[in-house]
Amino acid sequence: MQFSTGLRAVLASLLIVPALGGLLADVSNLPNDLTYDYIVVGAGTAGNVIANRLSANGNYEVLVLEAGVSDDGVLAAHAPFLGPSLTPGTPYDWNYTVAAQAGLDGRSFPYPRGKLLGGCSSVNYMVHQFGSSEDYDKLAKDTGDSSWSWKNIRQYIFKHERIVAPADGHNTVGQYTPANHGTTGTLPVSLPGNSQGIDARVIATTKEQAAEFPFNQDMGGGDVLGVGWVQNSIGNGERSSSSTTYLAEALKRPNVDLLLNAQVTKLVQTGTTFLPPFGPSVPAFRSLQFSKGPGAPVTTVMARKEIILSAGSINTPQILLLSGIGPKADLQALGIKTIIDNPSVGRNLSDHVLLPNIYNVKSGESLDNLLRDPALIGPAIDQWNTTRTGVLANGVTNNLGFLRLPSNATIFKTQKDPATGPKASHWELLALNFWINPGVPQPPAGDFVTFISALISPTSRGFVKLASADPFKAPIIDPNMVTTEFDKFALREAVRATKRFAAGSAWKDYITSPWGGLSATSDADIDAYVRGQSTTVFHPIGTSSMTAKGAKYGVVDPDLKVKGTDGLRIVDASILPTIPNAHTQGPTYLIAEKAAAAILNC
Ligand SMILES: Cc1cc2nc3c(=O)[nH]c(=O)nc-3n(C[C@H](O)[C@H](O)[C@H](O)COP(=O)(O)OP(=O)(O)OC[C@H]3O[C@@H](n4cnc5c(N)ncnc54)[C@H](O)[C@@H]3O)c2cc1C
Ligand SMILES: *[C@@H]1O[C@H](CO)[C@@H](O)[C@H](O)[C@H]1NC(C)=O
Ligand SMILES: *[C@@H]1O[C@H](CO)[C@@H](O)[C@H](O)[C@H]1NC(C)=O
Ligand SMILES: *[C@@H]1O[C@H](CO)[C@@H](O)[C@H](O)[C@H]1NC(C)=O
Ligand SMILES: *[C@@H]1O[C@H](CO)[C@@H](O)[C@H](O)[C@H]1NC(C)=O
């Protein structure tokens, strides 16, 4: 979200009290033999779960290497509503940009990734959900491993999540289904902590247009269809990131070391392993190199047991490629010696497409003035600082829902339905009571409501490739958005459905007119509008896809070990082959909880 420059300056100058301990100040504090049981690459969403669970029994020494800085003292990483000001283009962002998007008029746009403790969980918009049961059942079927089924994966929700009261203490009966949620897990989660002013209008529309937009009391039970209340990774009015929860707990233990500003540049082969009972011999990767930046000294560390790559959907494939694991021709072109020729590394990137549909609304009732006026944010910060309540204690949306194209939609005459199942969705609707249009600054005056329609079951696939053998150069990121007939059709119909939603009687005394190209009605005009407006919901997956053992393509096996290697696992969002019916932090936490349990069992 583009906050005004004045507001950004105010935010940048504000700090909160540092509280985190247990970090290693410098490489010189590492043990003399530079050896640990497990080395985790990336103190992000998944990496911190691994660090916590593997260190809990006290039997293992764990090193966590994080390229970024601490989240400690970064106000916007803790005051929920300020979170979107942390990206793009800040010291907490990798500052990536996508390649010119052929399906989007050749436009390029920022592709934020958190570069600080907590990774993306410290900068994301805090929507917290897990997806459709059918996402996991499809994963189990496609990988031939029933442990990925919804029935089995669900236990990790209860381990991960702790539902707590919302910041405003309102009665949440009828707004979620308690049985779907954990109450004793590690990460505090809550319902909206402050009304956005439009909440009642959204709920009224689900009653009035129940056939098309039915009310869903809770999307956390595997049944996502319908519109309802959001759950956020927020507790006590503060962001719950993997840093404030899993990592904070882990760092209290003597057997966890964490280094900041430590960017892993390469995995190092440590011999070959003969896999029982009949082979084959595969390269082992139980060592890696890291450094502070270009030209800085390089340190090599060793793992007795395993290296776990949790650098996320962009950097995990980047590290594999830099290490000689990837498509041979690509590596050769950059002078990198191929150790494992795997054409799937970095390929099949997929992402949810974000399309903001903006309306002008009655003046004075949106959150737009708060976002553009430093004089208004001051009192809100004071309130948050003293009581952890108010507008800053809340996330960016209070209501959202997952929806399907009609079953008689013409596209299904020529295309197979790409949803993960008949109860999974094609698109998502989110209601925000302010201007949000990534890359297009908020106008200096006016009030707006934004209905985001997001493409949830895209069939377009892109890639991450190295631009250079230099580990400090950004890779080429091409999500290749909206390049298929299905994706164009689904977004076009999502725009039409969103307009039907906004035409409900609850909006009559609020919405004044559509903004920009939203007034388009013909297929061609809506398609042009979609090409001109769409960007990302920031949910890349698929670049180190999990496939069945012995499959013809894929990067990891169902146990998340990198195919054809020993001592190396990937645990982050990049292993998902198909994007779930959810914002991706919840699924990432479940992957990490499941992987940690599996690692401890072997
Ligand atoms: C702006 C934004 C908003 C989002 N909003 C939501 C939302 O509302 N709800 C939701 O569910 N999801 C949201 N997401 C997506 C979600 O946060 C991610 O899918 C998820 O957190 C990814 O987790 P991960 O563990 O795969 O990677 P990350 O959390 O990105 O962790 C990777 C970590 O590895 C570190 N790293 C990378 N390379 C190296 C290296 N070479 N050496 C050492 N360390 C390295 C990174 O700095 C980072 O800390 C959002 C994402 C963004 C960027
Ligand atoms: C991203 O951009 C910001 C602002 O220009 C800068 O401070 C930061 O160092 C950049 N980060 C990276 C990883 O390039
Ligand atoms: C990408 O995924 C598809 C299945 O969705 C698969 O057929 C193809 O081989 C994959 N491509 C690569 C390069 O792995
Ligand atoms: C929050 O309050 C503390 C004192 O209680 C103060 O030191 C700090 O500067 C305040 N922070 C902000 C962001 O206002
Ligand atoms: C689909 O069915 C609905 C309801 O029966 C109908 O109104 C609509 O015209 C149909 N659409 C197509 C493309 O056949």
Side-chain angles (χ1 to χ4, degrees), residues 430-452:
L430 299 103
L432 298 82
N433 198 19
F434 54 93
W435 170 278
I436 182 160
N437 191 354
V440 183
Q442 182 198 36
D447 285 84
F448 307 93
V449 70
T450 306
F451 295 112
I452 291 173

PDB file of all heavy atoms in Angstrom, residues 430-452:
ATOM      1  N   LEU A 430     -12.645  -9.080  -1.480  1.00  0.00           N
ATOM      2  CA  LEU A 430     -12.251  -8.465  -0.205  1.00  0.00           C
ATOM      3  C   LEU A 430     -12.772  -7.032  -0.180  1.00  0.00           C
ATOM      4  O   LEU A 430     -12.669  -6.316  -1.178  1.00  0.00           O
ATOM      5  CB  LEU A 430     -10.731  -8.420  -0.045  1.00  0.00           C
ATOM      6  CG  LEU A 430      -9.973  -9.752  -0.047  1.00  0.00           C
ATOM      7  CD1 LEU A 430      -9.310  -9.964  -1.388  1.00  0.00           C
ATOM      8  CD2 LEU A 430      -8.935  -9.784   1.058  1.00  0.00           C
ATOM      9  N   ALA A 431     -13.306  -6.612   0.962  1.00  0.00           N
ATOM     10  CA  ALA A 431     -13.863  -5.264   1.080  1.00  0.00           C
ATOM     11  C   ALA A 431     -12.975  -4.410   1.976  1.00  0.00           C
ATOM     12  O   ALA A 431     -12.698  -4.779   3.121  1.00  0.00           O
ATOM     13  CB  ALA A 431     -15.270  -5.348   1.672  1.00  0.00           C
ATOM     14  N   LEU A 432     -12.493  -3.273   1.452  1.00  0.00           N
ATOM     15  CA  LEU A 432     -11.618  -2.376   2.210  1.00  0.00           C
ATOM     16  C   LEU A 432     -12.180  -0.965   2.142  1.00  0.00           C
ATOM     17  O   LEU A 432     -12.480  -0.468   1.048  1.00  0.00           O
ATOM     18  CB  LEU A 432     -10.193  -2.378   1.643  1.00  0.00           C
ATOM     19  CG  LEU A 432      -9.413  -3.703   1.672  1.00  0.00           C
ATOM     20  CD1 LEU A 432      -9.786  -4.598   0.518  1.00  0.00           C
ATOM     21  CD2 LEU A 432      -7.927  -3.433   1.663  1.00  0.00           C
ATOM     22  N   ASN A 433     -12.279  -0.307   3.284  1.00  0.00           N
ATOM     23  CA  ASN A 433     -12.917   1.004   3.307  1.00  0.00           C
ATOM     24  C   ASN A 433     -11.917   2.134   3.071  1.00  0.00           C
ATOM     25  O   ASN A 433     -11.855   3.104   3.829  1.00  0.00           O
ATOM     26  CB  ASN A 433     -13.655   1.209   4.636  1.00  0.00           C
ATOM     27  CG  ASN A 433     -14.681   2.327   4.526  1.00  0.00           C
ATOM     28  OD1 ASN A 433     -15.085   2.708   3.433  1.00  0.00           O
ATOM     29  ND2 ASN A 433     -15.093   2.871   5.669  1.00  0.00           N
ATOM     30  N   PHE A 434     -11.106   1.982   2.020  1.00  0.00           N
ATOM     31  CA  PHE A 434     -10.152   3.018   1.641  1.00  0.00           C
ATOM     32  C   PHE A 434      -9.576   2.692   0.268  1.00  0.00           C
ATOM     33  O   PHE A 434      -9.850   1.625  -0.282  1.00  0.00           O
ATOM     34  CB  PHE A 434      -9.032   3.171   2.684  1.00  0.00           C
ATOM     35  CG  PHE A 434      -8.296   1.903   3.028  1.00  0.00           C
ATOM     36  CD1 PHE A 434      -7.139   1.546   2.367  1.00  0.00           C
ATOM     37  CD2 PHE A 434      -8.782   1.040   4.022  1.00  0.00           C
ATOM     38  CE1 PHE A 434      -6.449   0.388   2.684  1.00  0.00           C
ATOM     39  CE2 PHE A 434      -8.106  -0.132   4.344  1.00  0.00           C
ATOM     40  CZ  PHE A 434      -6.941  -0.449   3.673  1.00  0.00           C
ATOM     41  N   TRP A 435      -8.780   3.617  -0.253  1.00  0.00           N
ATOM     42  CA  TRP A 435      -8.134   3.456  -1.556  1.00  0.00           C
ATOM     43  C   TRP A 435      -7.000   2.464  -1.445  1.00  0.00           C
ATOM     44  O   TRP A 435      -6.074   2.666  -0.654  1.00  0.00           O
ATOM     45  CB  TRP A 435      -7.590   4.817  -2.000  1.00  0.00           C
ATOM     46  CG  TRP A 435      -6.697   4.781  -3.202  1.00  0.00           C
ATOM     47  CD1 TRP A 435      -5.361   4.476  -3.244  1.00  0.00           C
ATOM     48  CD2 TRP A 435      -7.071   5.078  -4.552  1.00  0.00           C
ATOM     49  NE1 TRP A 435      -4.884   4.565  -4.519  1.00  0.00           N
ATOM     50  CE2 TRP A 435      -5.913   4.928  -5.348  1.00  0.00           C
ATOM     51  CE3 TRP A 435      -8.278   5.449  -5.151  1.00  0.00           C
ATOM     52  CZ2 TRP A 435      -5.932   5.163  -6.722  1.00  0.00           C
ATOM     53  CZ3 TRP A 435      -8.278   5.667  -6.518  1.00  0.00           C
ATOM     54  CH2 TRP A 435      -7.117   5.518  -7.280  1.00  0.00           C
ATOM     55  N   ILE A 436      -7.043   1.394  -2.205  1.00  0.00           N
ATOM     56  CA  ILE A 436      -5.862   0.541  -2.303  1.00  0.00           C
ATOM     57  C   ILE A 436      -5.716   0.118  -3.745  1.00  0.00           C
ATOM     58  O   ILE A 436      -6.604  -0.487  -4.325  1.00  0.00           O
ATOM     59  CB  ILE A 436      -5.888  -0.636  -1.312  1.00  0.00           C
ATOM     60  CG1 ILE A 436      -4.595  -1.451  -1.437  1.00  0.00           C
ATOM     61  CG2 ILE A 436      -7.112  -1.508  -1.454  1.00  0.00           C
ATOM     62  CD1 ILE A 436      -4.295  -2.297  -0.236  1.00  0.00           C
ATOM     63  N   ASN A 437      -4.613   0.531  -4.348  1.00  0.00           N
ATOM     64  CA  ASN A 437      -4.369   0.311  -5.764  1.00  0.00           C
ATOM     65  C   ASN A 437      -2.855   0.280  -5.942  1.00  0.00           C
ATOM     66  O   ASN A 437      -2.244   1.294  -6.228  1.00  0.00           O
ATOM     67  CB  ASN A 437      -4.998   1.464  -6.563  1.00  0.00           C
ATOM     68  CG  ASN A 437      -5.011   1.180  -8.052  1.00  0.00           C
ATOM     69  OD1 ASN A 437      -4.454   0.182  -8.515  1.00  0.00           O
ATOM     70  ND2 ASN A 437      -5.646   2.072  -8.804  1.00  0.00           N
ATOM     71  N   PRO A 438      -2.235  -0.902  -5.711  1.00  0.00           N
ATOM     72  CA  PRO A 438      -0.774  -0.977  -5.671  1.00  0.00           C
ATOM     73  C   PRO A 438      -0.138  -0.263  -6.871  1.00  0.00           C
ATOM     74  O   PRO A 438      -0.512  -0.523  -8.011  1.00  0.00           O
ATOM     75  CB  PRO A 438      -0.497  -2.477  -5.704  1.00  0.00           C
ATOM     76  CG  PRO A 438      -1.714  -3.075  -5.070  1.00  0.00           C
ATOM     77  CD  PRO A 438      -2.862  -2.199  -5.504  1.00  0.00           C
ATOM     78  N   GLY A 439       0.770   0.634  -6.576  1.00  0.00           N
ATOM     79  CA  GLY A 439       1.480   1.345  -7.633  1.00  0.00           C
ATOM     80  C   GLY A 439       0.816   2.639  -8.046  1.00  0.00           C
ATOM     81  O   GLY A 439       1.424   3.456  -8.722  1.00  0.00           O
ATOM     82  N   VAL A 440      -0.451   2.839  -7.676  1.00  0.00           N
ATOM     83  CA  VAL A 440      -1.138   4.082  -8.023  1.00  0.00           C
ATOM     84  C   VAL A 440      -1.404   4.837  -6.719  1.00  0.00           C
ATOM     85  O   VAL A 440      -2.221   4.396  -5.908  1.00  0.00           O
ATOM     86  CB  VAL A 440      -2.468   3.825  -8.763  1.00  0.00           C
ATOM     87  CG1 VAL A 440      -3.119   5.137  -9.181  1.00  0.00           C
ATOM     88  CG2 VAL A 440      -2.243   2.915  -9.958  1.00  0.00           C
ATOM     89  N   PRO A 441      -0.683   5.931  -6.484  1.00  0.00           N
ATOM     90  CA  PRO A 441      -0.805   6.627  -5.207  1.00  0.00           C
ATOM     91  C   PRO A 441      -2.236   7.074  -4.929  1.00  0.00           C
ATOM     92  O   PRO A 441      -2.986   7.397  -5.860  1.00  0.00           O
ATOM     93  CB  PRO A 441       0.112   7.843  -5.360  1.00  0.00           C
ATOM     94  CG  PRO A 441       0.971   7.560  -6.543  1.00  0.00           C
ATOM     95  CD  PRO A 441       0.262   6.563  -7.400  1.00  0.00           C
ATOM     96  N   GLN A 442      -2.582   7.075  -3.661  1.00  0.00           N
ATOM     97  CA  GLN A 442      -3.893   7.545  -3.225  1.00  0.00           C
ATOM     98  C   GLN A 442      -4.081   8.996  -3.696  1.00  0.00           C
ATOM     99  O   GLN A 442      -3.185   9.815  -3.533  1.00  0.00           O
ATOM    100  CB  GLN A 442      -3.875   7.494  -1.691  1.00  0.00           C
ATOM    101  CG  GLN A 442      -5.133   7.893  -1.008  1.00  0.00           C
ATOM    102  CD  GLN A 442      -4.839   8.228   0.467  1.00  0.00           C
ATOM    103  OE1 GLN A 442      -3.801   8.782   0.806  1.00  0.00           O
ATOM    104  NE2 GLN A 442      -5.764   7.894   1.322  1.00  0.00           N
ATOM    105  N   PRO A 443      -5.222   9.324  -4.302  1.00  0.00           N
ATOM    106  CA  PRO A 443      -5.445  10.712  -4.726  1.00  0.00           C
ATOM    107  C   PRO A 443      -5.412  11.649  -3.514  1.00  0.00           C
ATOM    108  O   PRO A 443      -5.717  11.225  -2.400  1.00  0.00           O
ATOM    109  CB  PRO A 443      -6.851  10.674  -5.333  1.00  0.00           C
ATOM    110  CG  PRO A 443      -7.106   9.246  -5.657  1.00  0.00           C
ATOM    111  CD  PRO A 443      -6.339   8.447  -4.649  1.00  0.00           C
ATOM    112  N   PRO A 444      -5.021  12.915  -3.737  1.00  0.00           N
ATOM    113  CA  PRO A 444      -4.876  13.848  -2.617  1.00  0.00           C
ATOM    114  C   PRO A 444      -6.189  14.154  -1.896  1.00  0.00           C
ATOM    115  O   PRO A 444      -6.172  14.627  -0.762  1.00  0.00           O
ATOM    116  CB  PRO A 444      -4.303  15.110  -3.261  1.00  0.00           C
ATOM    117  CG  PRO A 444      -4.505  14.945  -4.726  1.00  0.00           C
ATOM    118  CD  PRO A 444      -4.599  13.492  -5.011  1.00  0.00           C
ATOM    119  N   ALA A 445      -7.321  13.904  -2.537  1.00  0.00           N
ATOM    120  CA  ALA A 445      -8.603  14.135  -1.867  1.00  0.00           C
ATOM    121  C   ALA A 445      -9.566  13.030  -2.266  1.00  0.00           C
ATOM    122  O   ALA A 445      -9.355  12.329  -3.257  1.00  0.00           O
ATOM    123  CB  ALA A 445      -9.175  15.493  -2.276  1.00  0.00           C
ATOM    124  N   GLY A 446     -10.624  12.876  -1.470  1.00  0.00           N
ATOM    125  CA  GLY A 446     -11.667  11.915  -1.825  1.00  0.00           C
ATOM    126  C   GLY A 446     -11.725  10.743  -0.875  1.00  0.00           C
ATOM    127  O   GLY A 446     -10.763  10.438  -0.168  1.00  0.00           O
ATOM    128  N   ASP A 447     -12.898  10.099  -0.851  1.00  0.00           N
ATOM    129  CA  ASP A 447     -13.107   8.888  -0.062  1.00  0.00           C
ATOM    130  C   ASP A 447     -13.446   7.745  -1.013  1.00  0.00           C
ATOM    131  O   ASP A 447     -14.149   7.948  -2.006  1.00  0.00           O
ATOM    132  CB  ASP A 447     -14.284   9.098   0.902  1.00  0.00           C
ATOM    133  CG  ASP A 447     -13.903   9.975   2.071  1.00  0.00           C
ATOM    134  OD1 ASP A 447     -13.959  11.218   1.924  1.00  0.00           O
ATOM    135  OD2 ASP A 447     -13.540   9.417   3.112  1.00  0.00           O
ATOM    136  N   PHE A 448     -12.968   6.559  -0.664  1.00  0.00           N
ATOM    137  CA  PHE A 448     -13.100   5.424  -1.580  1.00  0.00           C
ATOM    138  C   PHE A 448     -13.418   4.142  -0.816  1.00  0.00           C
ATOM    139  O   PHE A 448     -13.035   3.988   0.344  1.00  0.00           O
ATOM    140  CB  PHE A 448     -11.790   5.207  -2.343  1.00  0.00           C
ATOM    141  CG  PHE A 448     -11.289   6.445  -3.036  1.00  0.00           C
ATOM    142  CD1 PHE A 448     -10.390   7.298  -2.406  1.00  0.00           C
ATOM    143  CD2 PHE A 448     -11.758   6.781  -4.299  1.00  0.00           C
ATOM    144  CE1 PHE A 448      -9.945   8.456  -3.033  1.00  0.00           C
ATOM    145  CE2 PHE A 448     -11.320   7.936  -4.931  1.00  0.00           C
ATOM    146  CZ  PHE A 448     -10.415   8.779  -4.297  1.00  0.00           C
ATOM    147  N   VAL A 449     -14.092   3.231  -1.499  1.00  0.00           N
ATOM    148  CA  VAL A 449     -14.150   1.855  -1.023  1.00  0.00           C
ATOM    149  C   VAL A 449     -13.521   1.012  -2.126  1.00  0.00           C
ATOM    150  O   VAL A 449     -13.686   1.312  -3.310  1.00  0.00           O
ATOM    151  CB  VAL A 449     -15.603   1.418  -0.691  1.00  0.00           C
ATOM    152  CG1 VAL A 449     -16.470   1.272  -1.934  1.00  0.00           C
ATOM    153  CG2 VAL A 449     -15.623   0.106   0.083  1.00  0.00           C
ATOM    154  N   THR A 450     -12.726   0.004  -1.724  1.00  0.00           N
ATOM    155  CA  THR A 450     -12.089  -0.875  -2.706  1.00  0.00           C
ATOM    156  C   THR A 450     -12.597  -2.297  -2.498  1.00  0.00           C
ATOM    157  O   THR A 450     -12.510  -2.831  -1.393  1.00  0.00           O
ATOM    158  CB  THR A 450     -10.549  -0.865  -2.539  1.00  0.00           C
ATOM    159  OG1 THR A 450     -10.086   0.477  -2.593  1.00  0.00           O
ATOM    160  CG2 THR A 450      -9.881  -1.680  -3.641  1.00  0.00           C
ATOM    161  N   PHE A 451     -13.176  -2.848  -3.563  1.00  0.00           N
ATOM    162  CA  PHE A 451     -13.504  -4.276  -3.555  1.00  0.00           C
ATOM    163  C   PHE A 451     -12.439  -4.969  -4.399  1.00  0.00           C
ATOM    164  O   PHE A 451     -12.410  -4.800  -5.625  1.00  0.00           O
ATOM    165  CB  PHE A 451     -14.878  -4.536  -4.163  1.00  0.00           C
ATOM    166  CG  PHE A 451     -16.019  -3.933  -3.381  1.00  0.00           C
ATOM    167  CD1 PHE A 451     -16.762  -2.888  -3.902  1.00  0.00           C
ATOM    168  CD2 PHE A 451     -16.338  -4.411  -2.114  1.00  0.00           C
ATOM    169  CE1 PHE A 451     -17.813  -2.339  -3.180  1.00  0.00           C
ATOM    170  CE2 PHE A 451     -17.382  -3.870  -1.389  1.00  0.00           C
ATOM    171  CZ  PHE A 451     -18.130  -2.816  -1.920  1.00  0.00           C
ATOM    172  N   ILE A 452     -11.576  -5.709  -3.741  1.00  0.00           N
ATOM    173  CA  ILE A 452     -10.560  -6.441  -4.502  1.00  0.00           C
ATOM    174  C   ILE A 452     -11.205  -7.711  -5.025  1.00  0.00           C
ATOM    175  O   ILE A 452     -11.892  -8.413  -4.272  1.00  0.00           O
ATOM    176  CB  ILE A 452      -9.353  -6.787  -3.609  1.00  0.00           C
ATOM    177  CG1 ILE A 452      -8.584  -5.506  -3.255  1.00  0.00           C
ATOM    178  CG2 ILE A 452      -8.450  -7.815  -4.284  1.00  0.00           C
ATOM    179  CD1 ILE A 452      -7.475  -5.714  -2.245  1.00  0.00           C
TER     180      ILE A 452
END
